Amino acid sequence: MSSGAPFSYSPLLPLGADQTEYRLVTDEGVDMVHGPGGRRFLTVEPAALTALTAEAMHDIAHFLRPAHLAQLRAIIDDPAASPNDRFVALDLLRNANIAAGGVLPMCQDTGTAIVMGKRGRHVLTDGSDDEAISRGVYQAYTRLNLRYSQLAPLTMWEERNTGSNLPAQVEIYAEDPDGHPDAYKFLFMAKGGGSANKSYLYQETKALLNPTRMMQFLEEKLRLIGTAACPPYHLAVVIGGTSAEYALKTAKLASAKYLDNLPTSGSMRAHGFRDLELEAEVLELTRQFGIGAQFGGRYFCHDVRVVRLPRHGASCPVAIAVSCSADRQAMGKITPSGVWLERLETDPARFLPDVTDAQLEQGAEAVRVDLNRPMDEIRAELSKYPVKTRLSLTGPLVVARDIAHAKIAERLDAGESMPQYLRDHAVYYAGPAKTPEGYASGSFGPTTAGRMDAYVEKFQAAGGSHVMLAKGNRSGQVTRSCHQHGGFYLGSIGGPAARLAQDCITHVEVLEYPELGMEAVWKIEVVDFPAFIVVDDKGNDFFAEVTKPVLTVGRR
């Protein structure tokens, strides 16, 4: 037998130089000490880890990277962008400006806290790093106007909100970051449920590895992402991987731009690399979908990262992940000079254009809908307009999502009638963040509509949920039910939760199930709340119009 190839080593993901701009958080809690053999060690106190994490979780709830904001502005400036693309981009920029005030977070789903650290071999801690980091997460979520989304499983079927947004996902690796043994580097993320739910793993074969089949595959799978995770997206596609879980992990890191400095070609050292040519082709493919920034156009994605990994000859995993319009990540590091955090944009106003809504709309004026009218009149008004029509809603909405829907469904199954509030009012699928003092509402954007699809026919047959408001696409069963029962699904812009709270929601009160916290049934009053007709009472679905394949030629 052959003795094999000569030994050579490369990290699976060899990163180039860190180009991040950092700001100093503190120089306390770190020190340099002498050790055996003349080596010097960086000592890090737990308080330094806690302080860095708390600061990071604050910043990523309120600030975005300048590059992300520049991409939103570029949509507004692009003459090829659709009016709906530009309308969504402007709303997201306005939302960023409100969130940057530090009171309302940019999204009501303030996410699962995810922290990845790489600790150099000359860094000394007391060993409780994950606990110190979790304490920083706790401090941020309990002190700020963020939402608690983590559920503790008490039995296989019973869950309860932990009331602190813990546990966090903390992963610490023994690795010299950037080759520095006396450094400790971090990636901080807040991953909302909508964005996390759009992570996909496909177990493919060698047959996928040709240009034509790959593009056909990606067109099919990328359409499945839909708009529920709040585009425009930062899209990541990973092809290959030493395991399925490694492919998924790489896709998440790539969507956070963490792997931007990978090599751009492969070698026999079998490391991962970015395929820049395929990235450009996939981005152009997504622009042909017609989905756009939620309601038609070109900007389904801001950008695309495609990473090719080594693989076992009998396995070809493909992982897909997105980072949504709440693009919440920040790098951090602890070095002998102190505790540092990525400098995010604190003045997003500089990205706002000097244009009005009317100029962006290009004559497409929003239809004003008075939600104070009886439900039959509201439906008759909506029935006059085609899908994709932009609306401005004013009046009362009932708010209910997963757990409330399940409880109401149980009542119907037990022979009880549909609650009158779902007969009389449109229902908004949402769950608010904490309400700051002096505000009518905390951040209060829409949740993913598809999670309530199974309830729609039952509720509409019982006389409720005839007008629904949320984000993302719906299944065919919702379209059929709306056609049968005279219902409508209205799409709200996913992402601008802070703007909706500040500018559109004037009153919030609990109607039922107060013990459910943010999952309670609420009644809210809104003014000029933006929405689009997505599914109408005639069996039309906007998203059905953009599901047909557009690919006619293979790649290179």
Side-chain angles (χ1 to χ4, degrees), residues 90-104:
L90 180 60
D91 221 34
L92 291 172
L93 280 176
R94 288 172 171 165
N95 187 70
N97 277 269
I98 293 169
V103 178
L104 294 167

Side-chain angles (χ1 to χ4, degrees), residues 190-210:
K191 196 71 171 172
S195 181
N197 291 346
K198 296 304 178 181
S199 298
Y200 295 94
L201 174 70
Y202 303 97
Q203 295 286 19
E204 297 298 315
T205 68
K206 167 68 175 174
L208 184 66
L209 299 180
N210 70 79

Side-chain angles (χ1 to χ4, degrees), residues 167-309:
Q169 179 180 319
V170 182
E171 303 172 2
I172 307 297
Y173 296 87
E175 180 179 329
D176 289 351
D178 303 325
H180 298 293
D182 57 353
Y184 203 161
K185 293 194 70 174
F186 301 89
L187 172 65
F188 297 96
M189 303 177 69
K191 196 71 171 172
S195 181
N197 291 346
K198 296 304 178 181
S199 298
Y200 295 94
L201 174 70
Y202 303 97
Q203 295 286 19
E204 297 298 315
T205 68
K206 167 68 175 174
L208 184 66
L209 299 180
N210 70 79
T212 300
R213 177 68 190 112
M214 178 62 72
M215 291 298 280
Q216 292 170 341
F217 170 87
L218 290 176
E219 174 168 15
E220 174 191 349
K221 303 306 182 186
L222 296 180
R223 287 182 181 277
L224 296 176
I225 297 173
T227 60
C230 307
Y233 298 128
H234 300 282
L235 171 67
V237 179
V238 174
I239 300 155
T242 50
S243 64
E245 63 271 23
Y246 193 81
L248 280 168
K249 175 74 172 180
T250 303
K252 178 177 285 189
L253 294 176
S255 72
K257 282 74 70 183
Y258 184 80
L259 303 179
D260 277 8
N261 293 332
L262 281 177
T264 55
S265 61
S267 76
M268 286 303 295
R269 299 179 73 188
H271 54 73
F273 65 91
R274 287 179 62 188
D275 186 329
L276 302 183
E277 184 178 351
L278 185 53
E279 289 179 0
E281 293 185 22
V282 174
L283 179 60
E284 182 56 33
L285 175 69
T286 66
R287 290 182 171 174
Q288 296 177 48
F289 288 171
I291 299 172
Q294 306 187 29
F295 301 104
R298 287 167 47 84
Y299 282 93
F300 186 60
C301 295
H302 282 303
D303 47 40
V304 177
R305 304 292 187 271
V306 176
V307 177
R308 181 67 158 91
L309 292 176

Side-chain angles (χ1 to χ4, degrees), residues 384-514:
K384 299 176 183 178
Y385 304 99
V387 294
K388 265 176 69 171
T389 298
R390 190 163 70 82
L391 309 173
S392 178
L393 310 177
T394 297
L397 289 168
V398 167
V399 180
R401 47 181 264 161
D402 306 64
I403 297 178
H405 273 69
K407 286 183 173 292
I408 293 169
E410 290 173 359
R411 288 158 59 173
L412 295 177
D413 290 340
E416 299 181 34
S417 61
M418 173 63 64
Q420 194 64 36
Y421 54 73
L422 281 183
R423 294 176 178 270
D424 295 341
H425 302 294
V427 58
Y428 179 37
Y429 303 157
K434 286 183 281 188
T435 300
E437 185 175 354
Y439 284 70
S441 168
S443 292
F444 211 153
T447 199
T448 302
R451 298 208 307 270
M452 268 55 73
D453 283 5
Y455 301 102
V456 172
E457 202 285 327
K458 179 192 292 283
F459 282 24
Q460 290 188 341
S465 290
H466 278 121
V467 177
M468 302 162 285
L469 176 65
K471 67 174 181 176
N473 45 301
R474 310 291 304 254
S475 63
Q477 66 186 22
V478 173
T479 303
R480 292 189 293 271
S481 182
C482 286
H483 190 199
Q484 179 181 355
H485 298 288
F488 295 84
Y489 166 55
L490 312 180
S492 177
I493 300 173
R499 196 192 77 77
L500 294 176
Q502 176 175 287
D503 298 340
C504 300
I505 299 174
T506 61
H507 179 73
V508 176
E509 62 180 283
V510 175
L511 281 182
E512 196 170 15
Y513 307 125

Side-chain angles (χ1 to χ4, degrees), residues 74-86 296-299 362:
I75 295 174
I76 297 172
D77 294 336
D78 182 1
S82 72
N84 285 347
D85 279 336
R86 291 195 287 272
R298 287 167 47 84
Y299 282 93
Q362 298 179 344

